[in-house]
Amino acid sequence: MARIDIRLNPQEEMANFNRGHMKRLFSYLAADRRTLFLALTFVVVAVAGEVAVPYLIRVGIDDYIMQDNFRGLLGVFAVFASVLVVTTFAKRRQAFLTAWLGQRMLYRLRREVFAHLQKLSFRYYDREPSGKIMSRLTSDVRYLQDFLTNGLTTLFAALLQVVGILFVLFNLHPRLALLSLATLPVVVITIAALRTRIKQAHLEVRETMANINANLQESISGVRLVQAFARQDVNEAHFDAVNRRNFKATLRSWAFAGTFNPAVELASAGASVLIIWYGARSLASGNLSEGITVGIIAAFIAYVQQLYDPVRELSNIYNSMQSAMASADKIFHLLDTPPEVVERENPIELADCRGHVQFHGVTFGYDENEAVLHDIDLDVKPGETVALVGPTGAGKTSIINLVARFYDPQKGKVTLDGYDLRDISFRSLRRNIAIVLQENFLFSGTVRENIAYGRDDATEEEIVAAARAVGADAFIRKLPNGYDTQVHERGGQLSEGQRQLIAFARALLMDPKVLILDEATSNVDPVTEALLQQALEKLLAGRTTFIIAHRLSTIRNADRILVIEDGRIVQQGNHWELMNQEGLYRQLNEVALRHA
């Protein structure tokens, strides 16, 4: 297994604030604006309670303790206790509402991204790695949710708390207020010095974590091959190296964070020391004009502790905002990617499809600058079985991809019963076309559910009849729970041949007018293949069928064989006609006989 090394783009991972992204993100909370307003109201109440506590301490010390009025102090205690109760309640309600809003936003955004992914054309999946697409629905959405809920409410609370504390400090004693801010430059300088390094450290952690995930995914998917080639020790060494890089990157990240937090604590402690020094000196001199009291000194010390906590939070929110902006850019880029194969307004519904497929001067390529098919003209009559043969990369799969309208041609058109496929509704087209691939996907669920995947309304009798027709009923009934046997991920507990037979039953249950078989019998053993060929003779009757097969023995009974080379039809006819003429088909047969 090759060494995996994912490199993230720092500009992508650490994006600047984007007002357009923020406005768009807030739209996901618009439906819950009342709940958001209520959550922010609780934030205001909680912050007001926290800011009030040191002031109540000043009142209790100066107005009651210093005056030996301990009976009046009980009233202050009652107010103090009430403030604590209200503050605690407000914090709990704000936390609950924030979590609720976050999950609602997460639900809406994931639903929209998933729905859009279902509509995107195959060309998008051709160029985008599946792991990258998965990260949009997992980590990127999570970064946005964390910032929009926890980040924004924390930002609102931090700013409100800073403003509230400064307002109270300058009203209590302006000179002490300025003195309490004297150590703030230490925090500002530390943030400026560490900001870039903290960014890079976080980026390296995400990069190495992505490498760990990619290495795990590849190792688990290829575990059979790993054991077959006895590569366990080599893979363990690769994983250990990746894991060690993540370990070191995480330690560096913590080291930088560990430098910042002590700097804030040092600034806070330094401010407290200055306040105590100045206040004690003023009290000792007996200078009443200074207006400094024991209560004011106590309140200032408490306020300084409160003041520097939001400063620490604002730095964390800044990093969270950068990650959220990068994630928003990725997600919105996905959501703004339009599907290339789209349904037109007021599309045609095929009432009685006959299965007449035609290609009219079709030119097609997966890359618009490089054609795979060149000016293809083809007329496949209803009920005709057409086999496509040719070298790998000749364009066989591209032809059936166009028949199923997974892609649209760059030039020309493909028609079904005379209608351009682009004019037919997706539902009508898919209802009349079924496909069996070389490696068919089985979904988690029962065997019955997998067979009826294309027809939710199928009866038990129809499901069993389809399975029996392709020779799958016998082995299904031998499974632990028959048709109710759970098919695990990708049908891992079934043989390749069994999975293929279930795929045949799934396609045939749809009773399509056009049937596409792409190397559909390549994974079936000779005995099963013989039974399947017998069933196909009956099942293909009355259906237009396209067959791709590298084993030429499986297509000798086709009505017509198309020989594809370099994106062009170079020969066509039945097996015996093509064998009696010089050309690629006879060459392919001769090679197959030599290797039989």
Side-chain angles (χ1 to χ4, degrees):
M1 184 176 66
R3 185 184 297 273
I4 299 171
D5 190 17
I6 296 173
R7 296 291 177 186
L8 303 180
N9 187 330
Q11 282 70 35
E12 289 183 357
E13 292 301 306
M14 297 297 178
N16 293 321
F17 181 81
N18 187 308
R19 186 175 298 175
H21 285 351
M22 285 301 302
K23 184 177 180 181
R24 190 168 176 179
L25 286 171
F26 273 119
S27 68
Y28 292 95
L29 297 174
D32 302 309
R33 59 173 65 91
R34 291 183 180 178
T35 305
L36 178 61
F37 177 77
L38 187 60
L40 294 178
T41 300
F42 281 119
V43 170
V44 173
V45 172
V47 170
E50 289 185 338
V51 173
V53 167
Y55 188 82
L56 289 173
I57 292 175
R58 185 208 70 78
V59 171
I61 293 175
D62 289 344
D63 296 350
Y64 296 96
I65 294 178
M66 300 300 293
Q67 305 298 327
D68 292 330
N69 185 0
F70 292 100
R71 180 174 296 179
L73 188 61
L74 293 176
V76 177
F77 282 153
V79 175
F80 187 86
S82 299
V83 169
L84 289 180
V85 169
V86 172
T87 301
T88 301
F89 173 78
K91 284 183 176 180
R92 294 193 58 165
R93 290 302 300 169
Q94 174 262 319
F96 172 79
L97 293 175
T98 296
W100 187 88
L101 284 168
Q103 290 304 312
R104 287 276 289 179
M105 178 264 178
L106 192 68
Y107 167 76
R108 289 196 186 100
L109 190 53
R110 276 185 177 160
R111 181 178 61 181
E112 183 176 348
V113 172
F114 182 81
H116 189 68
L117 285 171
Q118 300 294 295
K119 297 174 184 176
L120 286 176
S121 307
F122 279 23
R123 200 185 302 274
Y124 176 82
Y125 295 97
D126 292 340
R127 64 175 181 260
E128 293 291 340
S130 58
K132 189 175 180 181
I133 296 172
M134 284 292 296
S135 69
R136 300 295 170 266
L137 278 165
T138 53
S139 59
D140 284 326
V141 172
R142 176 64 66 182
Y143 283 128
L144 291 183
Q145 182 245 341
D146 287 343
F147 176 69
L148 268 185
T149 52
N150 297 329
L152 285 181
T153 52
T154 303
L155 175 63
F156 179 69
L159 293 176
L160 192 64
Q161 189 168 3
V162 168
V163 171
I165 290 172
L166 291 177
F167 176 80
V168 175
L169 289 181
F170 278 96
N171 274 278
L172 280 176
H173 200 284
R175 186 173 297 176
L176 271 182
L178 290 173
L179 196 62
S180 65
L181 299 177
T183 58
L184 188 60
V186 175
V187 179
V188 175
I189 293 171
T190 303
I191 292 175
L194 294 179
R195 186 177 65 180
T196 301
R197 294 184 179 182
I198 290 174
K199 274 191 201 177
Q200 294 299 327
H202 283 308
L203 177 60
E204 190 175 359
V205 170
R206 291 179 66 175
E207 184 178 280
T208 54
M209 196 66 229
N211 283 327
I212 287 178
N213 291 333
N215 193 291
L216 280 172
Q217 189 274 333
E218 188 174 75
S219 298
I220 292 171
S221 299
V223 66
R224 289 177 175 83
L225 194 62
V226 170
Q227 295 186 8
F229 284 87
R231 294 273 298 182
Q232 293 95 324
D233 292 342
V234 177
N235 284 0
E236 285 177 16
H238 284 174
F239 182 79
D240 184 64
V242 172
N243 197 25
R244 188 174 297 277
R245 286 199 294 272
N246 177 258
F247 171 73
K248 291 180 178 179
T250 303
L251 286 182
R252 280 193 293 272
S253 175
W254 288 349
F256 289 131
T259 303
F260 174 73
N261 288 332
V264 176
E265 296 295 338
L266 181 64
S268 175
S272 298
V273 168
L274 288 175
I275 290 168
I276 293 173
W277 170 78
Y278 187 86
R281 185 181 172 197
S282 177
L283 290 174
S285 67
N287 187 1
L288 298 179
S289 63
E290 287 281 349
I292 294 179
T293 64
V294 174
I296 286 179
I297 294 173
F300 262 80
I301 293 173
Y303 276 128
V304 164
Q305 297 298 319
Q306 284 190 6
L307 180 64
Y308 282 89
D309 283 339
V311 173
R312 185 189 298 110
E313 291 292 341
L314 290 173
S315 177
N316 295 332
I317 292 169
Y318 175 76
N319 290 330
S320 174
M321 183 270 290
Q322 287 186 313
S323 293
M325 289 299 100
S327 295
D329 190 63
K330 296 172 187 175
I331 289 176
F332 292 148
H333 177 73
L334 187 155
L335 290 174
D336 292 338
T337 300
E340 296 178 18
V341 178
V342 296
E343 188 176 75
R344 291 181 177 172
E345 293 185 11
N346 303 315
I348 297 170
E349 297 289 341
L350 296 177
D352 186 19
C353 180
R354 295 181 298 115
H356 186 189
V357 177
Q358 293 175 292
F359 280 61
H360 303 269
V362 169
T363 296
F364 167 74
Y366 299 97
D367 183 344
E368 293 186 0
N369 298 320
E370 185 176 350
V372 175
L373 299 177
H374 306 274
D375 200 26
I376 297 290
D377 286 303
L378 178 62
D379 188 352
V380 181
K381 304 298 183 185
E384 185 178 8
T385 297
V386 174
L388 308 176
V389 301
T392 299
K396 304 182 297 295
T397 300
S398 297
I399 289 177
I400 65 172
N401 280 340
L402 293 176
V403 172
R405 209 198 164 199
F406 293 147
Y407 301 85
D408 285 333
Q410 277 86 37
K411 179 184 175 184
K413 64 179 179 179
V414 182
T415 63
L416 178 60
D417 291 354
Y419 298 107
D420 191 326
L421 294 186
R422 288 169 287 204
D423 295 328
I424 302 174
S425 72
F426 284 142
R427 184 176 297 275
S428 182
L429 184 64
R430 304 290 180 242
R431 189 172 59 240
N432 287 289
I433 296 179
I435 303 174
V436 181
L437 303 173
Q438 180 178 359
E439 295 184 6
N440 284 280
F441 194 93
L442 296 186
F443 294 88
S444 298
T446 65
V447 172
R448 175 185 289 102
E449 289 168 340
N450 270 277
I451 294 176
Y453 188 77
R455 271 195 59 196
D456 293 334
D457 61 342
T459 64
E460 179 72 14
E461 291 75 17
E462 289 173 325
I463 293 171
V464 173
R468 187 179 295 121
V470 299
D473 180 69
F475 87 80
I476 292 174
R477 292 189 182 278
K478 294 179 182 178
L479 294 174
N481 296 306
Y483 283 85
D484 291 319
T485 300
Q486 287 289 326
V487 176
H488 300 302
E489 184 180 1
R490 301 183 68 87
Q493 80 275 33
L494 301 176
S495 70
E496 290 186 352
Q498 289 172 334
R499 293 198 297 269
Q500 205 73 346
L501 290 174
I502 290 176
F504 264 104
R506 178 167 61 196
L508 295 169
L509 181 62
M510 294 177 62
D511 190 23
K513 292 299 181 181
V514 179
L515 182 63
I516 297 174
L517 308 178
D518 186 357
E519 290 288 339
T521 61
S522 61
N523 291 332
V524 180
D525 61 82
V527 175
T528 304
E529 182 182 356
L531 295 173
L532 190 57
Q533 290 295 338
Q534 294 176 11
L536 286 176
E537 290 181 9
K538 179 179 64 175
L539 294 169
L540 300 185
R543 291 186 176 88
T544 305
T545 307
F546 291 83
I547 302 176
I548 295 179
H550 286 116
R551 284 194 286 184
L552 302 182
S553 59
T554 62
I555 58 169
R556 289 185 177 181
N557 295 327
D559 297 321
R560 188 163 30 136
I561 298 172
L562 305 179
V563 184
I564 314 297
E565 185 176 24
D566 294 330
R568 292 180 172 85
I569 301 174
V570 296
Q571 286 180 284
Q572 59 180 303
N574 61 39
H575 172 73
W576 300 111
E577 290 172 345
L578 294 176
M579 287 298 292
N580 288 328
Q581 51 183 265
E582 293 287 341
L584 181 60
Y585 184 76
R586 191 161 78 178
Q587 294 173 16
L588 293 172
N589 271 275
E590 290 172 351
V591 171
L593 287 173
R594 284 199 298 270
H595 290 85

